[in-house]
Amino acid sequence: MSDVVVARSLDEAQGALADHPGATVLAGGTDLMVEINRGLRRPSHVVGVAQVPELRQWSIADDRVIVGGGVTYTEMMTTPLADAAPALAQAARTVGSPPIRNAGTLGGNLGTASPAGDTLPVLAALNAKIVVVGPDGERRMALDDFVVGVKRTSLRPGELIVRAEMDRPAGRQEFLKIGPRNAMVISMAGLALVADHDARAVRCALGAVAAGIPRARVAEAWVAERIDWDNGAGVDDEVAAEFGQRVAAASSPIDDHRSTAAYRRHAVAVLATRALKRAFTEEGAADA
Amino acid sequence: MTSEAVNTAAGGSTATGTGADTIVDAGTRGVGANVGRPDGVPKVQGRFAFSSDLWADDFLWGHTLRSPHASALIRGIDIGPAVAMAGVYAVLLADDVPGCLTYGLEHGDQPALADGQVRYVGEPVALVAADHPDIARRAAEAIVVDYEVTEPVTDAEAAPTADPIHPDGNIFREIAIRHGDLDVTGEVVVEGVYEVGMQDQAFMGPESGMALPDEDGSVELFVSTQWLHVDREQIAACLGIDEEKVRLTLAGVGGAFGAREDLSLQVHLCLLALHTGKPVKMVYSRDESFLGHVHRHPAKMWYRHHADRCGRLVKVEARIVLDGGAYASTSSAVIANASCFAAGPYKVPAAHIVGLAARTNNPPCGAMRGFGAVQTCFGHESQMDKLAAALDMDPVELRLLNAIAPGDRLVTGQVITGTFPTAEVIRQCAYAPEPEIPPSDDRRDLPGGSGRTTDAADTVRGTGFAVGFKNLMFSEGYDDYSSAACRVSDGVATITCACAEVGQGFVTLAQQIARTELGVDEVILAPAQTATIGSAGSSSASRQTWMSGGAVQAACREVRTQILADMAADWGVSPDGLVLRDGLVVSLDGQQEALLAQVTAGAGYEADVEYHHAPTEPLDENGQGNAHVSFACAAHRATVDVDPDLGLVRVRDITTAQDVGRILNPTQAVGQIEGGIAQGLGLALMEEIVLDDGLVRNASFTDYVIPTTLDMPDVTIAAFVEEPEPGAPYGAKGIGEPPTISSSAAIAAAVRAATGQPLPRIPIRPADIALG
Ligand SMILES: Cc1cc2nc3c(=O)[nH]c(=O)nc-3n(C[C@H](O)[C@H](O)[C@H](O)COP(=O)(O)OP(=O)(O)OC[C@H]3O[C@@H](n4cnc5c(N)ncnc54)[C@H](O)[C@@H]3O)c2cc1C
């Protein structure tokens, strides 16, 4: 009962959105169709973007990885994209099941803007800029400015998520996620950690433990000073444990039917400790 | 057509129980052979027609408006806005139910539509039929119900003393089992309190069906259910018409596990169809399905075990509280089972067991695979491990020392007269070779799986063992017979039986039985329906292989007798010297031979039988009596890797042995065992309906999680322990439920062994381990 336009180019998609600024964008439909089937949303106009070539592009440069809004999880998991943004590939692998990963997209994960969206901590840790276009032209913003609340974005009517531009630092990347079973779960707690050996920085962001996607900036700065960047091998167990506690302080989890705040905070500390140790093994240093 | 009742009370004519009965001729497609199921390939390829695929010309879609409140009075309902919507054909309320408003399997206490009051979240309040499913849904949303919300009763332990939330009161059943000398005490005593969460059957095919009205006021219903005839009885009563005017046919069932024993949409569909004069179809959404059927009873159990210093059980005391939710369903039978089997498959000279099933404003609970035995198995097996620790004894040896055997008494006083190889099952499972689990670099093999949380160095391994048992068939004096008809014409056998194929494989088995009994290859299985055949009883209680298998066997044997008698007369020989084999009637002396197709040309032969199991008795006021027909046990050994810091678990292996009587189809047996273990794993580690003041918080597969392939380990079947059961057709016991009973307890034991934590509750949540 909706009026559906299947756009074949970015221009067509923008044109359709200009005609109906209130229209709903449909990418893989793995979030949207669930809501429609549950009767939670009844869009009158739908613009399908799964066949827009501009959104399906990605590119890799020395210091940058650019991923189009229409790139699927399966594509994120595939070389060479997977090698250029390993944490993104790791996060993609945790999403749903193969059919969901074949359909679901980065743009859709951003559009839904759930705190449990698994690519979001990765984007935050990789300093991603989200690029959107709309009637007012192009806007670029940090994830913090894009995700403004639980399932709320700063996307304006008629705007499309075109791509995310992220850093490609020299160093290990880790994404870890906890759920109530061993696959196909909504995150109870997720964490992305990136080592940047050139900048001598560690960047760490959290999923499903706050209304947004917090970066553990205090902990990042604290640990950067305690890593032996010149020799690069390993981190001290005590440092890693303390780092975990400091990262957990950046979370503000709640009790809900999926888990408790206490467990989530505890889990974040464990995940952060483990991620840090994995990122600073000897091989990690060699990678850098 | 002949009609005859076959009673196999004392082993009767149907099975020898000695193993001398010919079971299989290897290479045939008869009983015992690995015959593929006819519905297997279509199901895997997506071509199987489920009840949600039903279609008719010019049909309407039904939708149910449900209560958002756990407890509320209905002050008024305004259907005006719904009626006014284009495309809406009917909006029905309680007043539109022409017959009896309430129904129920044991007590008719559940209204087909809420009458002035709602008692649980999801209770049906109004029905809509419209020409599009979305319109039906929107029209239901447009109905204005004026609720006066009242304080719900959500604690089963407090319910008996709370104000009654139903005219029948807040107690479904209290049961006390007093057995032996209750004053004895043991030299070693262990005590524990255990809890089991509310599990859902989580079948894949949601409730669905289609009703077609007839001009004469009768109605035809195609529906997925577990028991056509008991549905019909309840539907006819609600519609206020004769049972003959309600004709049910089984539509493709997408799993059941107990959740289709109670009515869901059956009455609603028929009401809408009769009211509109059009076919009406309903398919519950996944979310609605979680509200639309009963769940496994959550349990709280207090236990005290007494043993002598050598480990011999002296006495078991237990108090079991089951939350039955808002309506009776099968609560009174479930609490009986939970209580009868509360001490486990052990010799227990004295027992004092008190069971309570209470009414609350939580969702109704009823039948689910294992039916009460699952909850208490977690209790008694946790206690046996505790006792072993207190005695400093090997937990398996403790179980072997106390294992029950034929000739022993249950805590209900019943002497085991059939086979019951508990010790052998324990030994076969516990002493099977340790599983080989090669070290793996792949994090998906570790706790946390694809979430990459855990390295091998973060894990500890544990092994746990459990054994459980339950009854086969219905108990306490209930005569749950089955009916079947067999016709042989032109050499082809046609079997008619109303047994609901819910995935257990009866359709395969019925054909195997007919082949074995009649020496034919081609067997047609007529649709399961109520018009031309009697009740088959429920596809539950591990009973259909025995009961409907028995009915089919008896019907086939009756036809065989008729054929052989006629041929014997023709040939002037004794029928004892004749057999049916390979599509022929042959004399054993090789003198005579005739084609069965010729012998049965045209009308052929037919028989219609009713098959009854040996009668049972009700329990007396001390919970004593021969209440059960037969028993089956299984044992499970679980090997788990646990990440104690995060509380994550990866089950690496389940080894099992099971008391099966006789295997009639090996692949189907493996299927039941693997599937049952998956359901047990789910209960141990993840499956729970989360309630908040009666509100279901996770009514979806997003949040009600069941095991995936990364959660299920390899299952090693160490042994099918085959000791043919006297009185059972071919000596076969039902095998559907035992895999679910003790697998949860074994996994919980393994997690305890790995972590050293008490973990008195299943499902075990990550926080229970990590922060425990
Ligand atoms: C079974 C299942 C499992 C899942 N598991 C996970 C999981 O493990 N982790 C996880 O993070 N998510 C999971 N999801 C959610 C979902 O798959 C992801 O959020 C996915 O990224 C959504 O992408 P999509 O292309 O399907 O988006 P759609 O459903 O098409 O759209 C989602 C939202 O984004 C908007 N949108 C989409 N593309 C654009 C665009 N280019 N510009 C502007 N707006 C846009 C849409 O309007 C809509 O509001 C799961 C979903 C299902 C059904």
Side-chain angles (χ1 to χ4, degrees):
Chain A
M1 275 175 278
S2 306
D3 179 8
V4 180
V5 174
V6 178
R8 313 259 166 199
S9 69
L10 195 56
D11 277 352
E12 254 182 62
Q14 282 189 270
L17 282 168
D19 293 345
H20 299 285
T24 299
V25 175
L26 171 70
T30 60
D31 277 322
L32 187 60
M33 290 313 296
V34 173
E35 297 199 335
I36 290 175
N37 288 340
R38 280 200 182 144
L40 300 175
R41 265 168 92 165
R42 294 200 173 104
S44 55
H45 294 274
V46 172
V47 180
V49 298
Q51 301 188 38
V52 172
E54 293 92 330
L55 298 182
R56 305 212 52 160
Q57 290 164 358
W58 49 265
S59 66
I60 302 167
D62 280 350
D63 59 344
R64 202 125 285 270
V65 178
I66 298 176
V67 180
V71 172
T72 64
Y73 293 109
T74 302
E75 289 163 333
M76 293 177 232
M77 286 161 60
T78 308
T79 340
L81 194 47
D83 300 329
L88 192 64
Q90 293 162 8
R93 174 62 186 83
T94 75
V95 172
S97 53
I100 298 296
R101 297 197 287 270
N102 285 338
T105 63
L106 185 69
N109 214 219
L110 281 163
T112 297
S114 160
D118 285 319
T119 65
L120 307 186
V122 178
L123 295 178
L126 289 174
N127 285 328
K129 290 281 181 293
I130 314 304
V131 182
V132 304
V133 292
D136 309 332
E138 190 177 285
R139 299 195 294 136
R140 288 162 54 86
M141 62 202 117
L143 189 75
D144 267 355
D145 298 318
F146 180 82
V147 178
V148 295
V150 175
K151 298 201 172 184
R152 279 178 44 229
T153 69
S154 58
L155 212 58
R156 297 173 190 157
E159 276 186 337
L160 267 177
I161 303 159
V162 185
R163 61 182 181 272
E165 303 179 352
M166 53 206 99
D167 290 352
R168 191 186 169 198
R172 284 254 165 139
Q173 302 183 4
E174 283 289 330
F175 177 82
L176 294 78
K177 163 181 164 184
I178 294 176
R181 67 182 165 198
N182 291 319
M184 216 179 143
V185 282
I186 304 284
S187 181
M188 277 154 55
L191 176 142
L193 183 139
V194 170
D196 183 340
H197 287 259
D198 294 333
R200 301 199 156 191
V202 172
R203 286 187 283 275
C204 179
L206 308 177
V209 290
I213 305 294
R215 274 273 296 270
R217 291 186 194 272
V218 178
E220 290 175 4
W222 180 84
V223 80
E225 288 171 12
R226 283 160 182 82
I227 285 167
D228 181 0
W229 295 100
D230 292 320
N231 297 315
V235 291
D236 189 74
D237 279 354
E238 272 167 39
V239 168
E242 166 106 34
F243 174 68
Q245 294 303 326
R246 285 170 183 260
V247 171
S251 69
S252 42
I254 54 165
D255 287 332
D256 67 9
H257 58 282
R258 291 182 185 144
S259 191
T260 63
Y263 175 76
R264 287 181 162 117
R265 195 173 287 111
H266 164 83
V268 166
V270 175
L271 294 183
T273 303
R274 290 184 183 174
L276 186 73
K277 285 178 154 175
R278 286 185 199 168
F280 289 93
T281 57
E282 285 184 32
E283 302 135 60
D287 285 356
Chain B
M1 186 186 296
T2 63
S3 186
E4 148 184 287
V6 177
N7 196 314
T8 59
S13 59
T14 51
T16 64
T18 60
D21 218 8
T22 6
I23 280 217
V24 184
D25 222 329
T28 70
R29 301 204 298 143
V31 166
N34 238 341
V35 182
R37 49 193 305 160
D39 53 336
V41 171
K43 277 178 178 164
V44 171
Q45 293 184 337
R47 288 187 291 109
F48 184 84
F50 288 99
S51 51
S52 49
D53 298 318
L54 291 160
W55 213 254
D57 285 338
D58 192 27
F59 73 93
L60 301 175
W61 290 85
H63 193 83
T64 314
L65 176 69
R66 295 175 183 276
S67 166
H69 304 295
S71 175
L73 299 173
I74 298 176
R75 283 189 295 226
I77 303 181
D78 180 7
I79 61 169
V83 174
M85 285 172 67
V88 171
Y89 282 71
V91 181
L92 304 182
L93 301 174
D95 283 348
D96 300 303
V97 179
C100 179
L101 183 64
T102 58
Y103 66 85
L105 281 171
E106 290 172 359
H107 307 284
D109 68 343
Q110 181 157 6
L113 288 169
D115 182 24
Q117 189 173 356
V118 287
R119 298 187 181 87
Y120 73 97
V121 172
E123 179 156 4
V125 173
L127 303 171
V128 176
D131 56 13
H132 188 281
D134 209 33
I135 294 178
R137 182 162 71 181
R138 286 193 215 190
E141 284 168 17
I143 297 170
V144 184
V145 186
D146 181 7
Y147 289 108
E148 182 184 323
V149 177
T150 53
E151 191 62 36
V153 174
T154 55
D155 177 358
E157 283 177 288
T161 52
D163 285 343
I165 57 176
H166 188 281
D168 296 348
N170 293 354
I171 295 175
F172 293 125
R173 185 169 180 183
E174 267 179 309
I175 176 169
I177 293 175
R178 295 181 201 88
H179 181 72
D181 175 7
L182 298 184
D183 295 329
V184 297
T185 54
E187 291 158 310
V188 180
V189 177
V190 293
E191 205 172 317
V193 178
Y194 305 95
E195 252 184 81
V196 178
M198 183 186 282
Q199 190 180 19
D200 188 73
Q201 298 83 352
F203 47 53
M204 293 292 116
E207 291 83 350
S208 44
M210 181 181 266
L212 300 102
D214 210 331
E215 276 155 20
D216 65 359
S218 67
V219 62
E220 183 135 22
L221 178 66
F222 294 82
V223 70
S224 47
T225 180
Q226 289 178 238
W227 188 356
L228 290 163
H229 285 76
V230 85
D231 280 9
R232 179 177 69 163
E233 197 181 309
Q234 297 173 88
I235 296 165
C238 288
L239 298 178
I241 58 178
D242 290 342
E243 282 189 28
E244 290 67 47
K245 290 198 147 184
V246 182
R247 293 180 299 278
L248 271 74
T249 302
L250 189 71
V253 182
F257 312 110
R260 295 188 212 273
E261 238 185 10
D262 293 81
L263 295 183
S264 55
L265 41 60
Q266 285 87 331
V267 173
H268 300 163
L269 279 170
C270 295
L271 279 173
L272 289 171
L274 289 173
H275 195 89
T276 60
K278 283 173 179 285
V280 180
K281 170 173 173 167
M282 266 195 199
V283 181
Y284 286 0
S285 68
R286 179 60 58 194
D287 307 26
E288 186 177 17
S289 176
F290 275 100
L291 306 176
H293 60 247
V294 299
H295 312 290
R296 188 191 297 290
H297 291 75
K300 272 199 187 143
M301 302 170 288
W302 166 86
Y303 268 94
R304 186 188 284 147
H305 275 57
H306 300 250
D308 68 18
R309 232 184 294 281
C310 305
R312 265 186 210 87
L313 288 172
V314 169
K315 186 170 71 173
V316 173
E317 298 170 274
R319 187 177 138 73
I320 301 147
V321 179
L322 300 184
D323 183 347
Y327 295 105
S329 178
T330 48
S331 277
S332 58
V334 175
I335 189 63
N337 261 19
S339 305
C340 288
F341 313 130
Y346 304 113
K347 274 177 289 212
V348 179
H352 188 194
I353 290 151
V354 180
L356 165 74
R359 189 194 303 270
T360 66
N361 291 114
N362 288 324
C365 289
M368 183 174 173
R369 197 176 199 170
F371 205 79
V374 169
Q375 291 91 325
T376 43
C377 182
F378 176 61
H380 65 67
E381 289 305 270
S382 299
Q383 282 288 99
M384 291 302 276
D385 283 347
K386 213 177 233 192
L387 186 60
L391 289 157
D392 197 17
M393 199 172 162
D394 177 71
V396 172
E397 273 168 33
L398 176 69
R399 287 170 170 89
L400 281 172
L401 179 69
N402 290 287
I404 201 164
D408 293 334
R409 279 180 195 279
L410 294 169
V411 296
T412 52
Q414 180 167 356
V415 175
I416 309 273
T417 54
T419 60
F420 203 18
T422 312
E424 182 62 10
V425 163
I426 293 173
R427 270 192 293 268
Q428 289 285 352
C429 177
Y431 301 142
E434 293 288 323
E436 275 177 42
I437 302 170
S440 167
D441 286 342
D442 191 337
R443 289 210 178 87
R444 283 172 296 179
D445 294 330
L446 295 167
S450 67
R452 308 180 68 260
T453 54
T454 306
D455 291 302
D458 302 319
T459 65
V460 282
R461 182 159 292 174
T463 300
F465 184 83
V467 52
F469 82 117
K470 95 175 268 295
N471 53 335
L472 309 176
M473 277 74 81
F474 288 14
S475 296
E476 298 186 79
Y478 197 89
D479 178 19
D480 50 315
Y481 66 92
S482 179
S483 321
C486 169
R487 194 158 81 93
V488 179
S489 152
D490 299 325
V492 176
T494 301
I495 302 295
T496 306
C497 181
C499 171
E501 170 63 52
V502 298
Q504 81 275 37
F506 179 75
V507 291
T508 319
L509 191 68
Q511 292 177 321
Q512 290 178 260
I513 291 172
R515 289 190 195 110
T516 291
E517 298 300 333
L518 298 166
V520 295
D521 189 55
E522 198 178 335
V523 180
I524 296 168
L525 198 64
Q529 36 77 27
T530 58
T532 70
I533 189 80
S535 174
S538 178
S539 291
S540 65
S542 299
R543 62 178 288 287
Q544 288 294 26
T545 292
W546 186 319
M547 296 306 300
S548 290
V552 170
Q553 184 196 45
C556 291
R557 287 187 174 182
E558 169 63 24
V559 165
R560 185 176 70 193
T561 303
Q562 293 171 25
I563 295 171
L564 296 185
D566 284 0
M567 292 312 291
D570 267 15
W571 289 334
V573 298
S574 157
D576 296 343
L578 303 180
V579 292
L580 298 181
R581 193 166 69 201
D582 303 328
L584 303 168
V585 189
V586 291
S587 63
L588 291 171
D589 61 12
Q591 296 299 306
Q592 306 284 353
E593 183 174 302
L595 276 175
L596 187 66
Q598 268 164 18
V599 171
T600 61
Y605 291 82
E606 57 185 287
D608 185 339
V609 307
E610 232 177 55
Y611 177 91
H612 298 256
H613 59 66
T616 61
E617 304 165 355
L619 295 167
D620 68 16
E621 68 282 3
N622 289 316
Q624 303 295 292
N626 295 325
H628 308 292
V629 182
S630 173
F631 307 93
C633 64
H636 295 91
R637 182 184 67 195
T639 305
V640 304
D641 285 339
V642 183
D643 176 343
D645 288 341
L646 289 176
L648 303 176
V649 178
R650 182 81 159 92
V651 182
R652 301 305 301 267
D653 176 83
I654 302 272
T655 294
T656 183
Q658 188 166 324
D659 159 30
V660 295
R662 208 75 183 265
I663 292 290
L664 305 185
N665 183 318
T667 303
Q668 293 203 159
V670 171
Q672 286 296 316
I673 287 174
E674 291 185 345
I677 288 172
Q679 227 153 7
L681 186 153
L683 177 61
L685 296 175
M686 62 189 81
E687 290 190 39
E688 181 173 10
I689 300 257
V690 180
L691 294 171
D692 181 1
D693 242 4
L695 190 71
V696 178
R697 297 293 310 278
N698 57 342
S700 73
F701 277 157
T702 307
D703 283 315
Y704 185 90
V705 291
I706 58 178
T708 69
T709 49
L710 280 192
D711 299 286
M712 247 320 259
D714 287 340
V715 169
T716 309
I717 298 177
F720 293 126
V721 177
E722 293 194 79
E723 289 189 12
E725 173 76 337
Y730 310 105
K733 290 185 176 182
I735 54 173
E737 291 175 291
T740 307
I741 296 173
S742 44
S743 47
S744 308
I747 292 166
V751 178
R752 284 185 194 128
T755 61
Q757 291 180 340
L759 303 171
R761 182 187 195 280
I762 49 172
I764 298 170
R765 296 157 294 199
D768 298 335
I769 300 172
L771 305 180

